[in-house]
Amino acid sequence: MALLLALYVLLIITLTGIAIYQHHTSTTLSLPLSPTLTILTILLPLLSLLTTSLTFFSSSHPRKPLPPLLSNALQLLLTIILSTLFGATLTSPYLPCTLQTTWRSLWTSHSATPIRTIQDSLSCCGFKSTKDMAWPFPSSGNNGDVSSCEKQFNRHTPCAGPWEDALNKTTGVELGVVVVAGVVQLLSLVVFKTQRRGGQGRKVWLARVVEIFTGQDDEGQGRRPLLTGGRSHSEEGRYIDRGVEEEEEQGGHGNGNGYGGTSSSAQTQTQPDDNNSRGGPRVEVSHHDPWAGAERV
């Protein structure tokens, strides 16, 4: 269990680190991804760790299931929303148009730093071509030359393709983090519930075995033991047979004294137990007076 917990914490830390790196990449490359989505992706593994901790805490306080319940519900909701949005971004047929709109917005506002960062990171110039909305912007300093990026940095690749690949890669990794965090949380809950039920099952089973073979339940209250039931019947039978033999011997001595008394006879009758506590018929001995009917002098 300790090994599983260590692996779980290590996996949560890894997922958080990957999400932080992808958030940094998205921000640096000015990808058309909402920062809110990437930040929530960072928080999702941490929320999974919090949910697991609350679940362990609530196991010792069964009357307080509300915090882990809310945390699980929140994580499930975030997982569904983020998975849907990232999946829609990956499969969107309008992705090239979205990228072009974002680039044009940067170029129109003369945001030199984002465009230059994209071109330097991806070793490209312009958008659709090396002369299309590239930095350095055409100005009087370069005589309005739109190919100054290509000539100055010796780059011959437009940025549309590499930029789109960067967006797909970042979106795919973010989606993977969300899915893995959800699966890990589900597995952790399943393992935890299995451990709890397994421990309780073994405890109940052992208590039942003790109760059957010793006649004592877990509260110390006496019950009819399994192994001693047959022994009590046999012992009772031996006591009855011994009483019958003694009575017959006494009857024999009476006849030897010459009183002419009738010998005693052991009559047995079986009576069912009213409480059914012994589970069988009970043998009782009826005694008769050997001097009954004799003349007294």
Side-chain angles (χ1 to χ4, degrees):
M1 189 65 181
L3 178 60
L4 291 177
L5 183 59
L7 291 176
Y8 171 75
V9 173
L10 179 61
L11 183 57
I12 291 298
I13 295 175
T14 303
L15 292 176
T16 305
I18 294 174
I20 292 174
Y21 176 78
Q22 295 304 320
H23 172 74
H24 174 73
T25 301
S26 177
T27 304
T28 302
L29 296 180
S30 302
L31 296 175
L33 281 177
S34 173
T36 304
L37 299 181
T38 55
I39 292 176
L40 288 177
T41 306
I42 296 173
L43 297 178
L44 191 61
L46 301 178
L47 180 61
S48 175
L49 182 61
L50 176 63
T51 302
T52 304
S53 302
L54 290 176
T55 303
F56 275 95
F57 175 77
S58 64
S59 63
S60 57
H61 299 79
R63 296 183 179 180
K64 299 179 180 180
L66 190 58
L69 182 61
L70 293 178
S71 182
N72 277 295
L74 180 59
Q75 183 175 356
L76 177 61
L77 182 62
L78 283 178
T79 301
I80 294 175
I81 292 176
L82 293 176
S83 300
T84 303
L85 293 177
F86 287 135
T89 302
L90 282 175
T91 59
S92 175
Y94 306 105
L95 190 58
C97 296
T98 303
L99 290 171
Q100 183 176 4
T101 301
T102 303
W103 189 287
R104 185 178 297 277
S105 175
L106 295 174
W107 190 77
T108 303
S109 61
H110 287 80
S111 300
T113 302
I115 294 180
R116 181 178 181 179
T117 301
I118 295 172
Q119 293 181 161
D120 292 343
S121 300
L122 302 177
S123 299
C124 58
C125 284
F127 184 69
K128 289 184 176 181
S129 67
T130 56
K131 301 178 181 180
D132 181 29
M133 298 181 288
W135 180 90
F137 303 131
S139 61
S140 57
N142 56 18
N143 297 322
D145 187 5
V146 294
S147 61
S148 60
C149 177
E150 182 179 0
K151 294 177 180 179
Q152 182 177 351
F153 301 105
N154 193 23
R155 298 170 183 168
H156 306 282
T157 304
C159 295
W163 202 34
E164 182 177 355
D165 293 340
L167 176 61
N168 289 331
K169 180 180 178 180
T170 301
T171 306
V173 173
E174 295 278 19
L175 177 60
V177 170
V178 171
V179 173
V180 171
V183 172
V184 167
Q185 177 61 24
L186 179 61
L187 290 178
S188 65
L189 292 177
V190 170
V191 171
F192 176 69
K193 294 297 184 182
T194 303
Q195 290 290 335
R196 286 190 60 190
R197 292 179 179 178
Q200 291 180 355
R202 288 191 295 270
K203 181 178 180 181
V204 172
W205 182 78
L206 290 175
R208 182 59 179 165
V209 170
V210 171
E211 178 183 347
I212 291 176
F213 284 95
T214 65
Q216 296 285 336
D217 58 8
D218 54 355
E219 296 179 355
Q221 296 179 356
R223 295 178 181 271
R224 184 187 173 199
L226 177 63
L227 297 180
T228 59
R231 193 176 304 167
S232 63
H233 284 294
S234 61
E235 292 177 356
E236 182 181 4
R238 288 198 299 270
Y239 292 151
I240 294 173
D241 293 339
R242 187 179 303 170
V244 172
E245 292 176 358
E246 292 177 355
E247 185 177 358
E248 289 178 350
E249 291 177 359
Q250 293 175 0
H253 288 301
N255 290 334
N257 292 333
Y259 289 101
T262 59
S263 63
S264 64
S265 62
Q267 297 180 358
T268 61
Q269 56 182 358
T270 61
Q271 296 179 354
D273 191 358
D274 295 336
N275 297 324
N276 292 326
S277 60
R278 301 183 181 275
R282 184 175 61 189
V283 180
E284 293 186 354
V285 180
S286 60
H287 300 279
H288 295 277
D289 186 6
W291 305 108
E295 275 185 34
R296 296 182 182 270
V297 180

